[in-house]
Structures are given as structure tokens and as C-alpha cells.
Amino acid sequence: MQNIIEVKNLKREYTTTKGFLFRKKHTLTAVDNINFSVKEGEIFGLLGENGAGKTTTIKMLITLLAPTEGECKVLGYDTYKEADKVRDSINFVFGGELGVYRRLSARDNLLYFAGLYKIKGKEATQRTEELLRLVELEEAADRLVE
């Protein structure tokens, strides 16, 4: 059986600025040099404490985040360089977290995710409006999710 997921020396860092008067850059390492592979048909889980980098790793696998270093492949496609090919081949449902961007409205979240799946223009707008009607969120569609 072939590997459907390959992760080699994967790293993800976030750079933040701390301090009011003397702004100092601070680097947080969320994923630090991990390696694993998953074979076709294999059941695989990521386990770890809060803050261990599980969600960050998944977001890199599904093309929502770019790795700082290393290689991340799904179905043989690089999740950063060939993101469109990965998105054409996978789907993902968030579990255990909100799964939307809190600083966007419901409408903007739906349009954003439509774009990830190559649904553009009028079709994206029409489908977004249909979904908002379906779940009776038309009146709240432009409020921030947070």
C-alpha cells in the first residue's frame, strides 16, 4: 500500500510582537520537526495535550496553513505548492472547534470556503444565500461570528 499522507520535518512557527514601548518579536513554535506517514486504508490519529500542534498540523494538511519548514504531502501533492490539487481530492469537517473564522460574518465565511472549493462569482453568492435561508440566518448573515 502506498502512503496517502507524508509529513517530513514539518515545522510551523508564528511570529508575534510583544510589548508596548519596546516591541520585541517573539517566535512561537506550534509544530516542531514532526515526521509521519499514513498508508491507504490505515486508521491514524493525532494525540496530544492542548497546544501540542494537532490542529496546526491538520490545517497544514488541508492547505489552510503553510508550513514554515518541511514537507507535507497528501495523495502525492504538496499541500503548499499544489494546494488546488489537494483541495480537489479531499474534504474536511472540523470537530471539537468552531470551524469558522470568528472575525468574519457568516456570509463571509461561506464565501471564503466556497472559494477554497473553486466555487466563484454568482454561483458562490447564490449558494451562500441558499444556505443562509436553509438555516434561517438571513437576518444575522452579516454579523461577526464571534
Side-chain angles (χ1 to χ4, degrees), residues 38-54:
V38 180
K39 295 197 179 306
E40 186 176 354
E42 184 176 26
I43 295 173
F44 181 86
L46 289 174
L47 302 175
E49 299 175 4
N50 289 345
K54 301 176 301 290

Side-chain angles (χ1 to χ4, degrees), residues 8 15 51 58 62 76 84-85 93 99 110-111 122:
K8 294 179 185 173
T15 302
I58 294 294
I62 63 170
D84 288 344
K85 291 179 181 177
V93 177
L110 289 169
L111 290 168
K122 272 188 180 179

Side-chain angles (χ1 to χ4, degrees), residues 7 10 20 39 41 45 51 70-71 78 84 87 97 105-106 110 114-115 120 125:
V7 172
L10 191 64
F20 179 70
K39 295 197 179 306
E71 191 175 275
D78 185 289
D84 288 344
R87 290 180 191 141
E97 65 176 61
S105 68
L110 289 169
K120 306 275 185 203
T125 302

Side-chain angles (χ1 to χ4, degrees), residues 5 29 34 69 78 82 85 92 105 119-120 122-124 130 135 139 146:
I5 298 174
T29 302
I34 64 171
E69 292 178 18
D78 185 289
E82 301 173 288
K85 291 179 181 177
F92 181 79
S105 68
I119 303 168
K120 306 275 185 203
K122 272 188 180 179
E123 184 182 3
E130 287 171 20
V135 295
E139 290 182 29
E146 66 186 3

Side-chain angles (χ1 to χ4, degrees), residues 107 110-111 114 119-134 138:
R107 176 177 280 112
L110 289 169
L111 290 168
I119 303 168
K120 306 275 185 203
K122 272 188 180 179
E123 184 182 3
T125 302
Q126 287 174 330
R127 290 176 76 173
T128 294
E129 295 309 315
E130 287 171 20
L131 288 169
L132 290 168
R133 270 192 304 279
L134 179 69
E138 303 100 321

